[in-house]
Amino acid sequence: DAKTTQPTSMDCAEGRAANLPCNHSTISGNEYVYWYRQIHSQGPQYIIHGLKNNETNEMASLIITEDRKSSTLILPHATLRDTAVYYCIVQNPWGGSEKLVFGKGTKLTVNP
Amino acid sequence: DGGITQSPKYLFRKEGQNVTLSCEQNLNHDAMYWYRQDPGQGLRLIYYSQIVNDFQKGDIAEGYSVSREKKESFPLTVTSAQKNPTAFYLCASTPDTRLDEQYFGPGTRLTVT
């Protein structure tokens, strides 16, 4: 079962920042937070991951609260092509688990 | 370009027939995975392989079989024993057995009638 809670859907205006929340109150000390997205009828795409520090790459920023019980993925200037289902996953990459546990994610719709 | 290819994108079969889905990667990754996705649902692991000539069952392996004879190839056979084979099938890989960033293929949508 997924260890995360995400809103089912969100809307965002094109050009504005999209802030996608994720709750992971049972996260353990050696688990990372990963974000993937899946555009309709395509394979999931890795976005970013972090342990406790905020992270930024060319796609997005990841803000993790100090207690690590929640995080926010930020797409700074959303475009129509960012419309997708966004998955938040917590996982220990060295834990011997063989799979990523994808929940139902948040369906983000970017509107013109 | 390096990546994962799955073919075909759409596949149609009659009930009772076995069908093999292709997955090839040129990323030199050790580990490969097969997931199944049903409409509106997350991904469920079918099989995974951490090294050539070795593979393990995932959560929903019944009715499926795999082989890993080459590092770059991990084909999935959907057998007639699989009760609900119609689904979107995704192949993925990681550089090693550490479960870090997974690279996914474009998927194959299988329809069995």
Side-chain angles (χ1 to χ4, degrees):
Chain A
D1 292 328
K3 304 177 191 176
T4 61
T5 304
Q6 299 178 254
T8 303
S9 63
M10 294 183 64
D11 284 87
C12 176
E14 188 177 18
R16 305 298 293 267
N19 298 300
L20 291 91
C22 180
N23 286 323
H24 31 80
S25 57
T26 61
I27 192 170
S28 62
N30 53 9
E31 288 182 321
Y32 284 64
V33 180
Y34 294 83
W35 283 85
Y36 283 75
R37 73 179 182 184
Q38 187 175 24
I39 295 170
H40 184 62
S41 293
Q42 297 183 22
Q45 176 189 24
Y46 164 85
I47 301 173
I48 199 167
H49 74 280
L51 181 62
K52 54 184 178 181
N53 297 323
N54 297 338
E55 302 287 344
T56 295
N57 63 20
E58 65 278 4
M59 288 183 69
S61 295
L62 174 61
I63 308 298
I64 302 174
T65 58
E66 196 167 337
D67 63 7
R68 301 209 322 123
K69 293 187 176 183
S70 65
S71 60
T72 301
L73 179 75
I74 301 172
L75 308 178
H77 306 287
T79 71
L80 299 179
R81 288 178 296 180
D82 292 322
T83 292
V85 178
Y86 287 77
Y87 298 98
C88 171
I89 299 164
V90 294
Q91 196 89 32
N92 175 2
W94 296 274
S97 173
E98 68 284 359
K99 63 185 177 183
L100 293 173
V101 179
F102 285 76
K104 295 189 179 180
T106 296
K107 181 169 173 50
L108 174 69
T109 302
V110 180
N111 300 304
Chain B
D1 280 3
I4 299 180
T5 57
Q6 291 185 244
S7 60
K9 188 164 180 63
Y10 298 96
L11 191 54
F12 298 88
R13 280 293 183 272
K14 294 290 189 185
E15 196 173 321
Q17 294 179 334
N18 291 355
V19 59
T20 297
L21 281 59
S22 166
C23 177
E24 304 278 331
Q25 53 100 358
N26 60 3
L27 300 166
N28 200 33
H29 285 177
D30 285 328
M32 297 185 74
Y33 310 80
W34 273 106
Y35 291 90
R36 169 186 171 134
Q37 187 175 35
D38 293 286
Q41 303 297 314
L43 278 63
R44 292 185 290 169
L45 183 68
I46 305 173
Y47 267 98
Y48 66 102
S49 168
Q50 296 177 329
I51 197 168
V52 174
N53 292 322
D54 187 50
F55 48 83
Q56 282 77 40
K57 294 181 179 179
D59 297 327
I60 55 165
E62 185 175 349
Y64 299 98
S65 66
V66 293
S67 63
R68 187 87 186 276
E69 297 176 1
K70 298 185 296 183
K71 186 175 185 177
E72 58 269 25
S73 178
F74 191 41
L76 173 75
T77 297
V78 184
T79 75
S80 56
Q82 167 51 232
K83 292 183 171 48
N84 297 299
T86 294
F88 189 45
Y89 290 88
L90 288 157
C91 181
S93 70
T94 53
D96 51 37
T97 56
R98 188 186 74 175
L99 192 68
D100 212 331
E101 176 185 346
Q102 282 204 343
Y103 295 75
F104 283 85
T108 292
R109 189 168 298 280
L110 173 65
T111 302
V112 177
T113 57

